[in-house]
Amino acid sequence: MKPYLVLGCDRSASRALADLCRTGYVLPDEVEYRTLPCSGSLDVLYILRAFEQGFERVLVLSCNDDACRSLDGSRRAAQRSARARTLLSEVGVNPRCVSFRQISPTMAADLCIWLDEFVQPLPAEAEPEKAE
Amino acid sequence: MIVAERKPIAELTSRLAPYRRILVVGCNTCVAVCSAGGAKEVAVTSALLRIALGREHPETRVDETCVERQCEVEMNAELAPSLGNYEVILSMACGVGVQTLAEQFNTAVVIPALNTKFMGRPEGLGEWSERCAGCGNCVLERYAGVCPITRCSKNLLNGPCGGSANGRCEVDPERLPCAWQLIYDRWVALGQLDRYLTNEPAKDWSSSLHGGPRRIQREDIR
Ligand code: SF4
Ligand code: SF4
């Protein structure tokens, strides 16, 4: 099973990915990409289920704020990604395992960089500061 | 409606740690409306429990279901055939639902997943406020429809106290309006400000929980 899951909006992320793949780019082996009809359709449960199934990290790619065809979809996706982070931290999952980014169909080059970052190990969590 | 909120997952996992076959049971009425224990919250809580409990014991089974009203025995009957498969029921209903399941089924332990908070109403998205303490002898007509028992921080039946300032309650001015300001404003609006001057005698609390567990019996509908 692949450890990393990307959930990308059909209107932006999937088009940017298609653009990127036309240049010969191939998704890293560890990454599974799934298209969302609109990032507003993303449910908290969808992210939780991914971790239940064994994914270790999830990247949500949503349209830019003013470009969402459902008007509020990006804002909702951002809210739900934040909620998923809060819930997952309750069960000891590093909240940084859920990332959220906004993208347009013309941002293939940015997507390439983000996917590369996405498969890098997470920096170690900062130790809580010790009381003097 | 009854307003509740979920306990922290860490508290639930510590209570559930000894068990391997768990059934999470939600309720589709009050606690669903206040987003604490309906089908959606049951699914989210179950997913979190599977992640947390599955780490040490991957064989742990967490199943989920929801009944229409967990406080009614008839509506829980549908659970009976499958209950033999579980050691524990995690109830996501209010305390009434939890007790109903515990009374009804004696083959499984029943654990509450929610903290039942109060009888209240929604104040907009994601916010609820307390409006009634079930005192058993409603006196709202004497207070212009504003309950001083639940809305005045000091439960004053003859108010206000000396701490009311600019319409806010001294206990938490940011969050709380002074109930007695609300009562005053409403008497003014109704043109009955003279009622504000009525002195209330001490309330008889025997109709409340302080008088012992309460029960209503209606012969006409038995
Ligand atoms: S007076 Fe008693 S019954 Fe009426 S709203 Fe207040 S607590 Fe509830
Ligand atoms: S300020 Fe008003 S609401 Fe607060 S305790 Fe005094 S009378 Fe009650």
Side-chain angles (χ1 to χ4, degrees), chain A residues 43 45 52 87 90-91, chain B residues 6 9 40 43 47 50 55:
Chain A
D43 194 280
L45 206 49
E52 245 191 273
L87 288 168
E90 267 200 89
V91 290
Chain B
R6 174 171 60 71
I9 289 289
K40 178 73 188 292
R50 278 184 215 109
R55 275 195 204 107

Side-chain angles (χ1 to χ4, degrees), chain B residues 131-135 138-140 147 149:
Chain B
R131 291 300 164 112
C132 176
C135 74
C138 192
V139 291
L140 280 174
C147 173
I149 297 165

Side-chain angles (χ1 to χ4, degrees), chain B residues 119 130-141 143 145-151 157 203 205 207-208 214:
Chain B
M119 282 186 274
E130 183 167 16
R131 291 300 164 112
C132 176
C135 74
N137 184 9
C138 192
V139 291
L140 280 174
E141 91 288 354
Y143 297 94
V146 178
C147 173
I149 297 165
T150 46
R151 301 186 67 189
L157 296 182
K203 185 171 164 67
W205 290 97
S207 60
S208 76
R214 295 166 286 177

